[in-house]
Amino acid sequence: MTKLDILVLAVHPDDAELGCAGTILKHIAQGYKVGVVDLTRGELGTRGSAEIRDKEAAAASEILGLTIRENLGMPDGFFANTREYQLQIIEVIRKYQPEIVIGNAYHDRHPDHGRANQLIEDASFLAGLRKIETTLDGEIQQEWRPKQVMHFIQDRYIKPDIIIDVTEYWDQKIASLYAYGSQFHNPEWENEPQTYISSPEFIQVTEARAREFGKSIGARFAEGFTSRKLLGVESLFDLV
């Protein structure tokens, strides 16, 4: 078993990169083990295909330096917060025993994001109940509940509960986004249908959001996160 410090559960390949790539890179640089598990292959996306997205996710993972990346293969657009899909996530959480889980935004332009948010939140709690039995390689898994479940902020503005300075890792974050050549602005795909996220302005808006969050803590770029649980620190000097 590979134990992770942080597990990012994201509904589509590229959600983790957009929402928290800088935070991933920063914690890996500090020596933490971070992995990403995508819930779907993004097969309903207007551009590209599931197979192309698989390759792009692998390339982005190399840039980020992830310990693991998996895909659960849930149906894009049609998964639900049901026992079937909760158990898939429970198995992953118990497999990697993360201290922190990061998932999709509370609500967003894409309906999958908000639906995945509640699915991830519920499964993270249920993973700690020992009477819910799951197995891995024929062995009964031990119950495990992460200490903290955080949610990154996506297209719609949500006031963050905590902000992470990612200035040092911003260029790598952008590189991880452009690994998804089928999804974001790419002159080689100019003859393909243009989408909300394929325009040059979309990345510019992503940068503007990061600059806005960064400004509030005296940094150039930052990523924001929300939490349903109150957050605490050991010392006031941990605050920026």
Side-chain angles (χ1 to χ4, degrees):
M1 185 195 75
T2 300
K3 186 183 185 312
L4 297 176
D5 298 297
I6 299 174
L7 172 60
V8 181
L9 292 163
V11 64
H12 303 118
D14 75 23
D15 281 354
E17 287 80 3
L18 271 168
C20 62
T23 299
I24 289 172
L25 288 158
K26 185 168 190 170
H27 284 82
I28 289 173
Q30 293 172 352
Y32 294 103
K33 291 183 179 180
V34 183
V36 173
V37 173
D38 302 303
L39 306 192
T40 79
R41 298 174 70 200
E43 64 269 20
L44 294 183
T46 300
R47 290 154 59 104
S49 65
E51 292 74 23
I52 289 172
R53 296 285 285 272
D54 290 344
K55 294 176 181 178
E56 292 170 342
S61 299
E62 287 292 322
I63 293 168
L64 296 176
L66 298 174
T67 298
I68 64 96
R69 188 164 199 157
E70 295 183 12
N71 194 300
L72 296 183
M74 294 181 184
D76 189 16
F78 293 98
F79 67 92
N81 188 7
T82 63
R83 182 177 186 274
E84 173 189 358
Y85 298 116
Q86 289 170 355
L87 285 171
Q88 284 186 256
I89 296 178
I90 289 169
E91 289 170 8
V92 167
I93 290 172
R94 290 175 172 180
K95 178 180 179 180
Y96 293 114
Q97 298 185 351
E99 302 300 320
I100 297 172
V101 162
I102 301 176
N104 286 92
Y106 291 156
H107 54 82
D108 204 42
R109 174 179 175 271
H110 196 309
D112 277 1
H113 296 170
R115 193 162 65 252
N117 171 284
Q118 194 59 56
L119 171 60
I120 292 162
E121 188 90 28
D122 291 350
S124 295
F125 178 85
L126 294 172
L129 300 180
R130 66 183 182 88
K131 290 186 178 179
I132 296 177
E133 187 174 300
T134 57
T135 59
L136 178 66
D137 298 329
E139 299 289 332
I140 295 176
Q141 291 181 299
Q142 179 184 347
E143 68 273 12
W144 183 268
R145 184 174 295 146
K147 294 178 181 176
Q148 182 66 51
V149 180
M150 310 289 294
H151 302 280
F152 47 74
I153 295 167
Q154 300 187 258
D155 187 70
R156 295 291 185 255
Y157 179 85
I158 301 173
K159 183 179 179 181
D161 296 312
I162 189 169
I163 293 174
I164 307 294
D165 179 358
V166 298
T167 304
E168 186 177 349
Y169 305 98
W170 187 254
D171 290 343
Q172 280 179 271
K173 174 187 172 94
I174 295 300
S176 75
L177 292 179
Y178 280 122
Y180 293 90
S182 69
Q183 301 304 303
F184 301 111
H185 180 63
N186 183 351
E188 295 180 8
W189 284 69
E190 62 183 9
N191 294 324
E192 294 293 317
Q194 297 304 301
T195 68
Y196 181 75
I197 69 172
S198 69
S199 70
E201 290 76 22
F202 182 80
I203 298 296
Q204 293 170 9
V205 170
T206 300
E207 178 176 314
R209 171 73 56 76
R211 286 183 180 275
E212 178 187 10
F213 286 158
K215 182 177 182 293
S216 66
I217 60 169
R220 187 178 179 191
F221 297 109
E223 293 173 338
F225 299 87
T226 57
S227 171
R228 289 185 172 92
K229 179 181 176 182
L230 289 175
L231 303 173
V233 294
E234 293 290 340
S235 165
L236 291 176
F237 291 97
D238 291 336
L239 300 170
V240 175

